[in-house]
Amino acid sequence: SQQGEEDPQALSIQEGENATMNCSYKTSINNLQWYRQNSGRGLVHLILIRSNEREKHSGRLRVTLDTSKKSSSLLITASRAADTASYFCARSDSSYKLIFGSGTRLLVRP
Amino acid sequence: NAGVMQNPRHLVRRRGQEARLRCSPMKGHSHVYWYRQLPEEGLKFMVYLQKENIIDESGMPKERFSAEFPKEGPSILRIQQVVRGDSAAYFCASSPDRTGNTGELFFGEGSRLTVL
């Protein structure tokens, strides 16, 4: 399959805890992106990390990329109930397509 | 707020009917992508279009599905003779440039097709 693999498929945590989601892929990439999808809504871009970058921060989000292991992780610190959503990684191989993973469904309990 | 606009948001069709989904990209964007999402799954690429051109339709079924992005007006994803397996959420996304260069895609809220 071209799609990446994400784990865990589902994650349930308490408000205030950190949430970590992982993404693996099989081919070389130009960049890797993370998107968020609230139930019944479209996807919203969160962060992009290029193949020559190892770590990137945006507010409470931290993304790492290990191209030797072909994997990336998304860390959400101090989670809030409003962070409840599905999170998808998507890889771009310098062509025009984004290939999405199967997603992690995050539930943050108040 | 000129985001990506999709309509209809919800569409119900009986088997054998046609479904037409529309997408107006963000202002200034000339690249449109269509993705399909089944429940509890990720998005699967269907087709990439620029104005008046289909660049890549490798993810789109050869039969019954077609897409266009005319010089004027929205992009249209057309599904003829729908079957129950076509039931899904169809998302349109746009970008000002090819994904490999700019990265980010801007998504619409999706059109949810139900085939009875």
Side-chain angles (χ1 to χ4, degrees), chain A residues 3 30-31 33 35 37 40-45 48 50 88 92 94-103 105, chain B residues 9 33 35 37 40-45 48 55-56 58 91 98-105 107-109 112:
Chain A
Q3 293 191 277
N30 179 285
N31 66 62
Q33 304 175 37
Y35 287 79
Q37 183 181 35
R41 305 295 298 275
L43 277 74
V44 175
H45 182 264
L48 179 155
R50 300 193 186 283
F88 296 92
S92 166
S94 77
S95 70
Y96 37 75
K97 294 188 285 205
L98 277 187
I99 306 298
F100 283 83
S102 52
R105 289 182 295 284
Chain B
R9 289 291 309 278
Y33 310 78
Y35 285 83
Q37 184 180 37
E40 308 299 320
E41 293 189 10
L43 275 69
K44 288 189 168 57
F45 170 81
Y48 161 51
I55 307 303
D56 184 336
S58 60
F91 288 94
R98 281 165 50 139
T99 299
N101 294 327
T102 65
E104 179 180 356
L105 290 187
F107 280 84
E109 293 290 343
R112 281 149 186 85

Short mmCIF file of all heavy atoms in Angstrom, two decimals, chain A residues 3 30-31 33 35 37 40-45 48 50 88 92 94-103 105, chain B residues 9 33 35 37 40-45 48 55-56 58 91 98-105 107-109 112:
data_model
loop_
_atom_site.label_atom_id
_atom_site.label_comp_id
_atom_site.label_asym_id
_atom_site.label_seq_id
_atom_site.Cartn_x
_atom_site.Cartn_y
_atom_site.Cartn_z
N GLN A 3 -0.06 3.98 1.28
CA GLN A 3 -0.36 4.80 2.43
C GLN A 3 0.57 4.47 3.57
O GLN A 3 1.07 3.36 3.71
CB GLN A 3 -1.81 4.57 2.87
CG GLN A 3 -2.79 5.10 1.85
CD GLN A 3 -4.20 5.12 2.38
OE1 GLN A 3 -4.87 4.12 2.34
NE2 GLN A 3 -4.66 6.26 2.85
N ASN A 30 9.62 14.25 0.17
CA ASN A 30 10.03 15.64 0.07
C ASN A 30 9.68 16.35 1.36
O ASN A 30 10.48 17.11 1.91
CB ASN A 30 9.32 16.29 -1.12
CG ASN A 30 9.68 17.74 -1.28
OD1 ASN A 30 9.20 18.58 -0.52
ND2 ASN A 30 10.53 18.05 -2.23
N ASN A 31 8.48 16.12 1.82
CA ASN A 31 8.07 16.62 3.13
C ASN A 31 7.00 15.72 3.70
O ASN A 31 6.44 14.87 3.00
CB ASN A 31 7.58 18.08 3.05
CG ASN A 31 6.31 18.23 2.24
OD1 ASN A 31 5.27 17.68 2.60
ND2 ASN A 31 6.37 19.01 1.16
N GLN A 33 3.52 15.93 6.33
CA GLN A 33 2.60 16.89 6.92
C GLN A 33 1.65 16.17 7.88
O GLN A 33 1.38 14.98 7.74
CB GLN A 33 1.79 17.57 5.81
CG GLN A 33 2.65 18.23 4.75
CD GLN A 33 1.83 18.79 3.62
OE1 GLN A 33 0.74 19.31 3.82
NE2 GLN A 33 2.37 18.69 2.40
N TYR A 35 -2.25 16.60 9.57
CA TYR A 35 -3.55 17.25 9.46
C TYR A 35 -4.46 16.77 10.58
O TYR A 35 -4.31 15.66 11.10
CB TYR A 35 -4.22 16.91 8.11
CG TYR A 35 -3.61 17.59 6.92
CD1 TYR A 35 -2.43 17.12 6.36
CD2 TYR A 35 -4.20 18.71 6.35
CE1 TYR A 35 -1.86 17.75 5.25
CE2 TYR A 35 -3.66 19.34 5.24
CZ TYR A 35 -2.49 18.85 4.70
OH TYR A 35 -1.94 19.46 3.60
N GLN A 37 -8.63 16.35 11.70
CA GLN A 37 -9.99 16.30 11.19
C GLN A 37 -10.95 16.12 12.36
O GLN A 37 -10.94 15.08 13.02
CB GLN A 37 -10.17 15.17 10.18
CG GLN A 37 -11.57 15.13 9.56
CD GLN A 37 -11.76 13.98 8.58
OE1 GLN A 37 -11.22 12.90 8.77
NE2 GLN A 37 -12.52 14.23 7.52
N GLY A 40 -16.88 14.76 11.07
CA GLY A 40 -17.79 15.33 10.09
C GLY A 40 -17.30 16.58 9.39
O GLY A 40 -18.06 17.22 8.67
N ARG A 41 -16.05 16.91 9.57
CA ARG A 41 -15.50 18.13 8.99
C ARG A 41 -14.37 17.83 8.01
O ARG A 41 -13.97 16.68 7.82
CB ARG A 41 -14.97 19.06 10.10
CG ARG A 41 -15.98 19.39 11.18
CD ARG A 41 -17.15 20.19 10.64
NE ARG A 41 -16.78 21.47 10.10
CZ ARG A 41 -16.63 22.58 10.82
NH1 ARG A 41 -16.81 22.54 12.13
NH2 ARG A 41 -16.29 23.72 10.25
N GLY A 42 -13.87 18.87 7.38
CA GLY A 42 -12.72 18.73 6.49
C GLY A 42 -11.42 18.69 7.27
O GLY A 42 -11.40 18.81 8.49
N LEU A 43 -10.33 18.51 6.53
CA LEU A 43 -9.02 18.44 7.17
C LEU A 43 -8.40 19.82 7.29
O LEU A 43 -8.55 20.66 6.40
CB LEU A 43 -8.09 17.54 6.36
CG LEU A 43 -8.22 16.05 6.62
CD1 LEU A 43 -9.49 15.51 6.00
CD2 LEU A 43 -7.00 15.31 6.08
N VAL A 44 -7.70 20.01 8.38
CA VAL A 44 -7.01 21.27 8.63
C VAL A 44 -5.52 20.98 8.78
O VAL A 44 -5.13 20.09 9.54
CB VAL A 44 -7.55 21.95 9.90
CG1 VAL A 44 -6.74 23.20 10.21
CG2 VAL A 44 -9.02 22.29 9.73
N HIS A 45 -4.72 21.73 8.04
CA HIS A 45 -3.28 21.56 8.09
C HIS A 45 -2.72 22.02 9.43
O HIS A 45 -3.08 23.08 9.93
CB HIS A 45 -2.63 22.36 6.96
CG HIS A 45 -1.16 22.23 6.87
ND1 HIS A 45 -0.30 23.14 7.44
CD2 HIS A 45 -0.39 21.30 6.28
CE1 HIS A 45 0.93 22.77 7.19
NE2 HIS A 45 0.92 21.66 6.49
N LEU A 48 4.08 21.18 8.75
CA LEU A 48 4.83 20.53 7.68
C LEU A 48 6.28 20.46 8.09
O LEU A 48 6.84 21.43 8.59
CB LEU A 48 4.68 21.35 6.39
CG LEU A 48 5.40 20.89 5.11
CD1 LEU A 48 4.66 21.42 3.89
CD2 LEU A 48 6.85 21.35 5.06
N ARG A 50 10.07 19.29 6.51
CA ARG A 50 10.76 18.91 5.29
C ARG A 50 11.73 17.78 5.57
O ARG A 50 12.13 17.55 6.71
CB ARG A 50 11.49 20.12 4.70
CG ARG A 50 10.53 21.26 4.37
CD ARG A 50 11.14 22.35 3.51
NE ARG A 50 10.21 23.46 3.37
CZ ARG A 50 9.16 23.46 2.57
NH1 ARG A 50 8.89 22.41 1.82
NH2 ARG A 50 8.36 24.51 2.50
N PHE A 88 -3.99 12.86 10.97
CA PHE A 88 -3.46 12.13 9.81
C PHE A 88 -2.08 12.67 9.44
O PHE A 88 -1.87 13.89 9.40
CB PHE A 88 -4.37 12.29 8.60
CG PHE A 88 -5.74 11.68 8.77
CD1 PHE A 88 -6.80 12.45 9.24
CD2 PHE A 88 -5.96 10.36 8.44
CE1 PHE A 88 -8.06 11.89 9.39
CE2 PHE A 88 -7.22 9.79 8.59
CZ PHE A 88 -8.27 10.56 9.06
N SER A 92 4.56 13.80 1.05
CA SER A 92 4.70 14.36 -0.28
C SER A 92 6.06 13.95 -0.81
O SER A 92 7.07 14.16 -0.14
CB SER A 92 4.59 15.88 -0.23
OG SER A 92 5.02 16.45 -1.43
N SER A 94 7.51 15.12 -3.59
CA SER A 94 7.86 16.16 -4.57
C SER A 94 7.04 16.03 -5.84
O SER A 94 7.29 16.74 -6.80
CB SER A 94 9.34 16.17 -4.91
OG SER A 94 9.68 15.12 -5.79
N SER A 95 6.09 15.15 -5.85
CA SER A 95 5.09 15.16 -6.92
C SER A 95 3.91 15.97 -6.43
O SER A 95 3.98 16.70 -5.47
CB SER A 95 4.70 13.74 -7.30
OG SER A 95 3.94 13.15 -6.26
N TYR A 96 2.83 15.80 -7.04
CA TYR A 96 1.69 16.66 -6.77
C TYR A 96 0.69 16.05 -5.80
O TYR A 96 -0.29 16.65 -5.48
CB TYR A 96 0.98 16.95 -8.09
CG TYR A 96 1.00 15.74 -8.97
CD1 TYR A 96 0.17 14.67 -8.72
CD2 TYR A 96 1.91 15.64 -10.00
CE1 TYR A 96 0.21 13.54 -9.48
CE2 TYR A 96 1.96 14.49 -10.78
CZ TYR A 96 1.12 13.45 -10.51
OH TYR A 96 1.17 12.32 -11.26
N LYS A 97 0.96 14.82 -5.37
CA LYS A 97 -0.01 14.14 -4.52
C LYS A 97 0.44 14.12 -3.08
O LYS A 97 1.61 14.00 -2.78
CB LYS A 97 -0.19 12.69 -4.98
CG LYS A 97 -0.81 12.55 -6.34
CD LYS A 97 -1.13 11.10 -6.65
CE LYS A 97 0.11 10.32 -6.98
NZ LYS A 97 -0.20 9.15 -7.82
N LEU A 98 -0.55 14.21 -2.19
CA LEU A 98 -0.30 13.88 -0.79
C LEU A 98 -0.91 12.51 -0.54
O LEU A 98 -2.06 12.26 -0.89
CB LEU A 98 -0.97 14.90 0.13
CG LEU A 98 -0.25 16.19 0.43
CD1 LEU A 98 -1.00 16.97 1.49
CD2 LEU A 98 1.17 15.94 0.88
N ILE A 99 -0.10 11.61 0.04
CA ILE A 99 -0.57 10.28 0.39
C ILE A 99 -0.82 10.25 1.88
O ILE A 99 0.11 10.45 2.67
CB ILE A 99 0.45 9.21 0.00
CG1 ILE A 99 0.84 9.34 -1.48
CG2 ILE A 99 -0.10 7.81 0.30
CD1 ILE A 99 -0.31 9.14 -2.43
N PHE A 100 -2.06 9.98 2.25
CA PHE A 100 -2.45 10.04 3.66
C PHE A 100 -2.36 8.69 4.34
O PHE A 100 -2.60 7.65 3.73
CB PHE A 100 -3.88 10.56 3.77
CG PHE A 100 -4.01 12.04 3.58
CD1 PHE A 100 -4.09 12.57 2.30
CD2 PHE A 100 -4.03 12.89 4.66
CE1 PHE A 100 -4.18 13.94 2.11
CE2 PHE A 100 -4.14 14.27 4.48
CZ PHE A 100 -4.21 14.79 3.21
N GLY A 101 -2.05 8.73 5.61
CA GLY A 101 -2.11 7.55 6.45
C GLY A 101 -3.54 7.29 6.87
O GLY A 101 -4.47 8.03 6.52
N SER A 102 -3.70 6.24 7.66
CA SER A 102 -5.04 5.81 8.06
C SER A 102 -5.55 6.57 9.28
O SER A 102 -6.72 6.47 9.63
CB SER A 102 -5.06 4.31 8.32
OG SER A 102 -4.02 3.97 9.22
N GLY A 103 -4.68 7.30 9.95
CA GLY A 103 -5.13 8.18 11.02
C GLY A 103 -5.10 7.59 12.41
O GLY A 103 -5.15 6.38 12.61
N ARG A 105 -7.23 8.22 15.97
CA ARG A 105 -8.40 8.87 16.58
C ARG A 105 -8.07 9.16 18.04
O ARG A 105 -7.86 8.26 18.84
CB ARG A 105 -9.63 7.98 16.47
CG ARG A 105 -10.16 7.89 15.05
CD ARG A 105 -11.41 7.04 14.97
NE ARG A 105 -11.18 5.65 15.31
CZ ARG A 105 -10.59 4.77 14.52
NH1 ARG A 105 -10.19 5.13 13.33
NH2 ARG A 105 -10.42 3.53 14.91
N ARG B 9 -23.31 19.52 0.64
CA ARG B 9 -22.65 18.90 1.79
C ARG B 9 -23.13 17.46 1.97
O ARG B 9 -22.37 16.61 2.41
CB ARG B 9 -22.93 19.70 3.07
CG ARG B 9 -22.23 21.05 3.14
CD ARG B 9 -20.72 20.92 3.29
NE ARG B 9 -20.31 20.03 4.37
CZ ARG B 9 -20.24 20.38 5.63
NH1 ARG B 9 -20.55 21.60 6.00
NH2 ARG B 9 -19.84 19.51 6.54
N TYR B 33 -7.61 19.12 -6.06
CA TYR B 33 -7.44 17.70 -5.82
C TYR B 33 -8.75 17.16 -5.27
O TYR B 33 -9.39 17.81 -4.45
CB TYR B 33 -6.33 17.46 -4.79
CG TYR B 33 -5.03 18.19 -5.09
CD1 TYR B 33 -4.88 19.55 -4.81
CD2 TYR B 33 -3.95 17.51 -5.63
CE1 TYR B 33 -3.71 20.21 -5.08
CE2 TYR B 33 -2.75 18.17 -5.90
CZ TYR B 33 -2.64 19.52 -5.62
OH TYR B 33 -1.47 20.18 -5.89
N TYR B 35 -10.29 13.85 -3.13
CA TYR B 35 -9.98 12.67 -2.32
C TYR B 35 -11.30 12.02 -1.89
O TYR B 35 -12.32 12.70 -1.74
CB TYR B 35 -9.19 13.07 -1.05
CG TYR B 35 -7.75 13.42 -1.28
CD1 TYR B 35 -7.37 14.70 -1.70
CD2 TYR B 35 -6.74 12.48 -1.06
CE1 TYR B 35 -6.04 15.02 -1.91
CE2 TYR B 35 -5.40 12.80 -1.25
CZ TYR B 35 -5.06 14.06 -1.67
OH TYR B 35 -3.74 14.38 -1.87
N GLN B 37 -12.98 9.48 1.15
CA GLN B 37 -12.76 8.94 2.49
C GLN B 37 -13.93 8.04 2.88
O GLN B 37 -15.07 8.48 2.92
CB GLN B 37 -12.63 10.07 3.52
CG GLN B 37 -12.29 9.56 4.92
CD GLN B 37 -12.14 10.69 5.94
OE1 GLN B 37 -12.86 11.68 5.89
NE2 GLN B 37 -11.20 10.53 6.85
N GLU B 40 -14.05 5.87 8.99
CA GLU B 40 -12.96 5.39 9.84
C GLU B 40 -11.67 5.12 9.05
O GLU B 40 -10.80 4.39 9.51
CB GLU B 40 -13.36 4.11 10.60
CG GLU B 40 -14.66 4.22 11.37
CD GLU B 40 -14.64 5.29 12.43
OE1 GLU B 40 -13.59 5.42 13.10
OE2 GLU B 40 -15.65 6.00 12.61
N GLU B 41 -11.54 5.70 7.89
CA GLU B 41 -10.33 5.48 7.09
C GLU B 41 -9.69 6.82 6.72
O GLU B 41 -10.25 7.88 6.94
CB GLU B 41 -10.64 4.69 5.83
CG GLU B 41 -11.08 3.26 6.10
CD GLU B 41 -11.17 2.43 4.84
OE1 GLU B 41 -10.71 2.90 3.78
OE2 GLU B 41 -11.70 1.31 4.92
N GLY B 42 -8.49 6.72 6.15
CA GLY B 42 -7.82 7.92 5.68
C GLY B 42 -8.34 8.33 4.32
O GLY B 42 -9.26 7.74 3.78
N LEU B 43 -7.74 9.38 3.77
CA LEU B 43 -8.15 9.89 2.47
C LEU B 43 -7.37 9.20 1.36
O LEU B 43 -6.16 9.04 1.46
CB LEU B 43 -7.89 11.39 2.39
CG LEU B 43 -8.99 12.30 2.95
CD1 LEU B 43 -9.07 12.18 4.46
CD2 LEU B 43 -8.74 13.73 2.54
N LYS B 44 -8.08 8.85 0.31
CA LYS B 44 -7.44 8.24 -0.86
C LYS B 44 -7.51 9.19 -2.04
O LYS B 44 -8.58 9.66 -2.42
CB LYS B 44 -8.10 6.91 -1.20
CG LYS B 44 -7.79 5.80 -0.20
CD LYS B 44 -8.26 4.45 -0.66
CE LYS B 44 -7.70 3.33 0.18
NZ LYS B 44 -8.02 3.47 1.60
N PHE B 45 -6.36 9.46 -2.63
CA PHE B 45 -6.26 10.36 -3.77
C PHE B 45 -7.07 9.83 -4.94
O PHE B 45 -7.05 8.63 -5.25
CB PHE B 45 -4.80 10.50 -4.17
CG PHE B 45 -4.60 11.20 -5.48
CD1 PHE B 45 -4.63 12.59 -5.56
CD2 PHE B 45 -4.37 10.48 -6.65
CE1 PHE B 45 -4.43 13.24 -6.77
CE2 PHE B 45 -4.16 11.12 -7.85
CZ PHE B 45 -4.20 12.50 -7.92
N TYR B 48 -6.13 14.91 -9.76
CA TYR B 48 -5.52 16.24 -9.62
C TYR B 48 -5.77 17.00 -10.92
O TYR B 48 -5.48 16.49 -12.00
CB TYR B 48 -4.04 16.08 -9.33
CG TYR B 48 -3.18 17.31 -9.59
CD1 TYR B 48 -3.51 18.55 -9.06
CD2 TYR B 48 -2.01 17.19 -10.34
CE1 TYR B 48 -2.70 19.65 -9.28
CE2 TYR B 48 -1.20 18.28 -10.56
CZ TYR B 48 -1.54 19.51 -10.04
OH TYR B 48 -0.74 20.60 -10.26
N ILE B 55 -4.41 16.49 -14.67
CA ILE B 55 -2.98 16.21 -14.57
C ILE B 55 -2.74 14.76 -14.21
O ILE B 55 -1.86 14.10 -14.75
CB ILE B 55 -2.30 17.12 -13.54
CG1 ILE B 55 -2.60 18.60 -13.84
CG2 ILE B 55 -0.80 16.85 -13.50
CD1 ILE B 55 -2.20 19.04 -15.23
N ASP B 56 -3.53 14.25 -13.28
CA ASP B 56 -3.36 12.87 -12.83
C ASP B 56 -4.70 12.34 -12.35
O ASP B 56 -5.27 12.91 -11.45
CB ASP B 56 -2.33 12.80 -11.71
CG ASP B 56 -2.03 11.38 -11.25
OD1 ASP B 56 -2.88 10.48 -11.43
OD2 ASP B 56 -0.94 11.16 -10.69
N SER B 58 -5.01 8.94 -11.73
CA SER B 58 -4.64 7.55 -11.46
C SER B 58 -5.41 6.93 -10.30
O SER B 58 -5.51 5.72 -10.21
CB SER B 58 -3.14 7.45 -11.18
OG SER B 58 -2.80 8.24 -10.05
N PHE B 91 -13.76 14.75 -0.62
CA PHE B 91 -13.15 16.02 -0.24
C PHE B 91 -12.41 16.62 -1.41
O PHE B 91 -11.71 15.94 -2.16
CB PHE B 91 -12.17 15.81 0.93
CG PHE B 91 -12.85 15.54 2.24
CD1 PHE B 91 -13.06 14.23 2.65
CD2 PHE B 91 -13.29 16.58 3.03
CE1 PHE B 91 -13.71 13.97 3.85
CE2 PHE B 91 -13.93 16.33 4.24
CZ PHE B 91 -14.14 15.02 4.64
N ARG B 98 1.96 23.33 -6.98
CA ARG B 98 2.02 21.89 -6.78
C ARG B 98 2.41 21.56 -5.35
O ARG B 98 3.24 22.22 -4.76
CB ARG B 98 3.01 21.26 -7.75
CG ARG B 98 2.45 21.11 -9.14
CD ARG B 98 3.52 20.84 -10.15
NE ARG B 98 4.40 19.77 -9.76
CZ ARG B 98 4.85 18.85 -10.61
NH1 ARG B 98 4.44 18.85 -11.85
NH2 ARG B 98 5.70 17.93 -10.21
N THR B 99 1.83 20.50 -4.83
CA THR B 99 2.02 20.14 -3.43
C THR B 99 3.49 20.01 -3.08
O THR B 99 3.93 20.40 -2.03
CB THR B 99 1.30 18.83 -3.13
OG1 THR B 99 -0.08 18.99 -3.37
CG2 THR B 99 1.53 18.40 -1.69
N GLY B 100 4.27 19.48 -3.96
CA GLY B 100 5.68 19.28 -3.66
C GLY B 100 6.42 20.57 -3.41
O GLY B 100 7.42 20.58 -2.72
N ASN B 101 5.92 21.66 -3.96
CA ASN B 101 6.60 22.93 -3.78
C ASN B 101 6.10 23.69 -2.57
O ASN B 101 6.87 24.25 -1.81
CB ASN B 101 6.43 23.79 -5.04
CG ASN B 101 7.14 23.17 -6.22
OD1 ASN B 101 8.16 22.53 -6.06
ND2 ASN B 101 6.59 23.35 -7.40
N THR B 102 4.78 23.77 -2.41
CA THR B 102 4.23 24.57 -1.33
C THR B 102 3.86 23.73 -0.12
O THR B 102 3.84 24.22 0.99
CB THR B 102 2.98 25.31 -1.78
OG1 THR B 102 1.96 24.38 -2.09
CG2 THR B 102 3.25 26.18 -2.98
N GLY B 103 3.54 22.49 -0.32
CA GLY B 103 3.21 21.62 0.79
C GLY B 103 1.75 21.56 1.14
O GLY B 103 1.09 20.57 0.90
N GLU B 104 1.26 22.66 1.69
CA GLU B 104 -0.04 22.62 2.34
C GLU B 104 -1.18 22.57 1.33
O GLU B 104 -1.18 23.28 0.33
CB GLU B 104 -0.20 23.85 3.22
CG GLU B 104 -1.52 23.94 3.95
CD GLU B 104 -1.59 25.19 4.80
OE1 GLU B 104 -0.58 25.92 4.87
OE2 GLU B 104 -2.66 25.44 5.38
N LEU B 105 -2.16 21.71 1.64
CA LEU B 105 -3.42 21.70 0.90
C LEU B 105 -4.50 22.30 1.80
O LEU B 105 -4.50 22.12 3.01
CB LEU B 105 -3.83 20.29 0.52
CG LEU B 105 -3.01 19.56 -0.54
CD1 LEU B 105 -3.68 18.24 -0.92
CD2 LEU B 105 -2.79 20.42 -1.77
N PHE B 107 -8.45 22.26 2.50
CA PHE B 107 -9.57 21.36 2.25
C PHE B 107 -10.92 22.04 2.44
O PHE B 107 -11.09 22.92 3.29
CB PHE B 107 -9.50 20.16 3.20
CG PHE B 107 -8.53 19.11 2.77
CD1 PHE B 107 -7.18 19.21 3.08
CD2 PHE B 107 -8.95 18.02 2.03
CE1 PHE B 107 -6.28 18.24 2.67
CE2 PHE B 107 -8.05 17.04 1.62
CZ PHE B 107 -6.72 17.15 1.94
N GLY B 108 -11.89 21.55 1.66
CA GLY B 108 -13.27 21.91 1.89
C GLY B 108 -13.86 21.01 2.97
O GLY B 108 -13.18 20.12 3.50
N GLU B 109 -15.14 21.24 3.28
CA GLU B 109 -15.80 20.48 4.35
C GLU B 109 -16.30 19.13 3.86
O GLU B 109 -16.76 18.32 4.66
CB GLU B 109 -16.96 21.29 4.92
CG GLU B 109 -16.53 22.54 5.66
CD GLU B 109 -15.83 22.24 6.97
OE1 GLU B 109 -15.93 21.12 7.49
OE2 GLU B 109 -15.14 23.15 7.49
N ARG B 112 -20.87 14.49 1.41
CA ARG B 112 -21.14 13.13 1.88
C ARG B 112 -22.22 12.51 1.02
O ARG B 112 -23.37 12.95 1.06
CB ARG B 112 -21.50 13.14 3.35
CG ARG B 112 -20.25 13.26 4.21
CD ARG B 112 -20.45 13.97 5.52
NE ARG B 112 -19.15 14.15 6.19
CZ ARG B 112 -18.33 15.16 5.94
NH1 ARG B 112 -18.69 16.10 5.08
NH2 ARG B 112 -17.18 15.26 6.55
#
